[in-house]
Amino acid sequence: MKLVIWSIPFCAVLLIAACKKKKDENAEFDKGPIMVNMADNYIIPGYADLKSRITTLETSWNDFLADKTTAKLTVVKQAWVDANISFQHVKGFDFGPAMTANIALSFGTFPCDTTQVNNNIQNSGYDLSTMQNQDAIGFDALDYLLYRQNALNQFQTVSNSCTYVSDIIAKMKTEIAAVVTGWSSYRNTFVNGTSNESTSPFALLVNSFCKDYETCKATKIGFPIGLHTLGIQQPNYLEARRSGIGKTLLIENIRGSRSVFYGLSLSGTNGPGFDDYLEAIDSDKANLSSTIQTRFDYMLSAPATWNGTLEQIMSSSPSTLNEFYAYQQASVVYMKTDMASAFGVLITYQDTDGD
């Protein structure tokens, strides 16, 4: 009986000591290099790239306005594609200057409200900064305007259509410029914000990483294939439906998430990332890192084998997208639960996609 009484507090001491050791090991990992790497080699260059590509889009659009031909419109479309791909790599950093400028919503909201767009064009006098026009701006509004069936004729005959495109691009240019400028001062706050507090930049980075992954899963795949509408497909919810580049945007979004996890630079050079942090904690977390890496590899390779646009795949092989979504969903726990817990970071955003 004495042995039992003695062993209980002794075990408690061992447990406390083990927990303290685990906590200390976690605290000793220097997250600073991750933050510096992400800021200097991915986030800041990523926003600069997006700014440059939107400037190119504006230049090509102005060139088209001076000579409204099919060839010139084709150049505009390619500039739009390039800018949209660039956006996929930075849209997940919805904190700091990007949150202030609100570019995640103003650039990336889809599907476009075509009725609102057409009303704006017809009536003029619109204010693109209002909530009423949140679904009538950004990349998906340009997808509608540039790729609709009679786009060239509309631009040649309806001057307000041209003005509306110019206004959307000008708004995007102003907003991305503000983000780029904002990061010149926010960088210092970001790289030094290595604590696990919910408002720290490191915690915001982890939350944004997980949130963007889930948003990609739900909006790019889940809603269109009908997982939120009793299995009834909703092709009108597809991103960039008219241009048909939704599959490309899906891949690039996942590639962006993978880059953050690995700590890759914008050009692909490997640096300190979440994977290094996990591997430094213990062997179990190293296995978790390997699992996440394997799942990202699959999520990048699988869509590359699909034939046709997402809308065509929804018709010809719906099980392909359902199975891919299921794989994405099964991957959430490794990042949002296991990884975040290993880092001691509280997930503060609300998952409202209903899955």
Side-chain angles (χ1 to χ4, degrees):
M1 190 66 179
K2 289 180 181 179
L3 177 61
V4 173
I5 294 173
W6 174 85
S7 64
I8 291 174
F10 179 73
C11 291
V13 169
L14 289 178
L15 180 61
I16 293 171
C19 291
K20 185 177 186 301
K21 181 180 179 183
K22 175 76 171 191
K23 182 177 181 181
D24 289 345
E25 287 176 350
N26 209 28
E28 287 173 3
F29 183 84
D30 184 5
K31 299 189 283 291
I34 293 178
M35 305 299 278
V36 171
N37 180 47
M38 288 308 305
D40 294 346
N41 298 320
Y42 194 82
I43 300 175
I44 294 174
Y47 282 131
D49 181 72
L50 179 55
K51 179 184 176 182
S52 175
R53 294 185 186 279
I54 289 177
T55 297
T56 299
L57 173 60
E58 181 185 54
T59 299
S60 64
W61 174 250
N62 289 335
D63 192 33
F64 168 77
L65 292 179
D67 182 20
K68 297 174 185 174
T69 64
T70 299
K72 294 291 180 68
L73 184 58
T74 298
V75 174
V76 174
K77 290 177 179 178
Q78 186 58 55
W80 171 84
V81 170
D82 294 340
N84 205 342
I85 289 174
S86 178
F87 174 65
Q88 301 303 312
H89 289 260
V90 296
K91 71 182 185 67
F93 305 117
D94 193 21
F95 52 82
M99 177 175 283
T100 301
N102 204 28
I103 68 168
L105 287 176
S106 63
F107 282 29
T109 297
F110 67 92
C112 164
D113 184 343
T114 58
T115 300
Q116 183 65 29
V117 169
N118 290 327
N119 286 340
N120 287 342
I121 291 172
Q122 182 176 351
N123 300 321
S124 298
Y126 45 79
D127 180 356
L128 296 184
S129 66
T130 64
M131 287 296 295
Q132 180 183 8
N133 285 314
Q134 181 175 295
D135 299 339
I137 55 177
F139 283 111
D140 218 60
L142 293 177
D143 177 73
Y144 166 65
L145 292 164
L146 297 176
Y147 288 90
R148 52 186 169 166
Q149 190 170 9
N150 61 341
L152 181 61
N153 178 261
Q154 286 291 307
F155 291 139
Q156 290 173 336
T157 60
V158 182
S159 61
N160 282 358
S161 291
C162 297
T163 301
Y164 196 72
V165 171
S166 296
D167 289 344
I168 290 176
I169 295 174
K171 183 177 188 296
M172 296 173 77
K173 184 180 179 182
T174 297
E175 290 168 346
I176 188 57
V179 174
V180 170
T181 299
W183 262 91
S184 63
S185 58
Y186 181 71
R187 178 197 176 278
N188 189 57
T189 299
F190 180 79
V191 300
N192 289 298
T194 58
S195 77
N196 291 351
E197 296 177 6
S198 61
T199 57
S200 76
F202 179 72
L204 294 175
L205 178 64
V206 173
N207 270 268
S208 293
F209 167 81
C210 295
K211 182 179 180 181
D212 187 58
Y213 174 82
E214 288 206 271
T215 299
C216 172
K217 166 184 66 70
T219 61
K220 284 177 164 59
I221 298 290
F223 280 97
I225 65 177
L227 292 184
H228 304 273
T229 51
L230 302 177
I232 301 172
Q233 291 187 349
Q234 302 291 331
N236 55 303
Y237 277 97
L238 283 166
E239 182 178 19
R241 183 185 184 188
R242 291 162 185 81
S243 61
I245 67 164
K247 182 174 69 176
T248 296
L249 299 181
L250 170 69
I251 292 172
E252 294 300 331
N253 195 160
I254 294 171
R255 193 186 308 280
S257 294
R258 181 178 179 271
S259 294
V260 175
F261 180 78
Y262 274 102
L264 302 182
S265 70
L266 200 64
S267 61
T269 302
N270 199 352
F274 292 163
D275 61 329
D276 299 292
Y277 190 177
L278 287 172
E279 290 162 14
I281 297 174
D282 58 37
S283 58
D284 287 341
K285 299 305 179 290
N287 289 335
L288 172 61
S289 176
S290 179
T291 297
I292 294 173
Q293 292 173 33
T294 297
R295 298 188 82 84
F296 268 127
D297 288 344
Y298 173 79
M299 286 184 286
L300 278 180
S301 62
T305 67
W306 301 344
N307 295 317
T309 66
L310 291 182
E311 186 163 4
Q312 290 168 339
I313 298 167
M314 284 170 61
S315 176
S316 64
S317 182
S319 62
T320 296
L321 297 182
N322 279 278
E323 290 168 4
F324 186 77
Y325 177 89
Y327 191 89
Q328 285 184 298
Q329 177 60 23
S331 302
V332 170
V333 66
Y334 298 111
M335 292 175 267
K336 185 179 179 181
T337 302
D338 297 343
M339 185 186 77
S341 176
F343 292 167
V345 170
L346 178 67
I347 296 298
T348 55
Y349 70 88
Q350 296 295 314
D351 175 14
T352 58
D353 67 5
D355 50 29

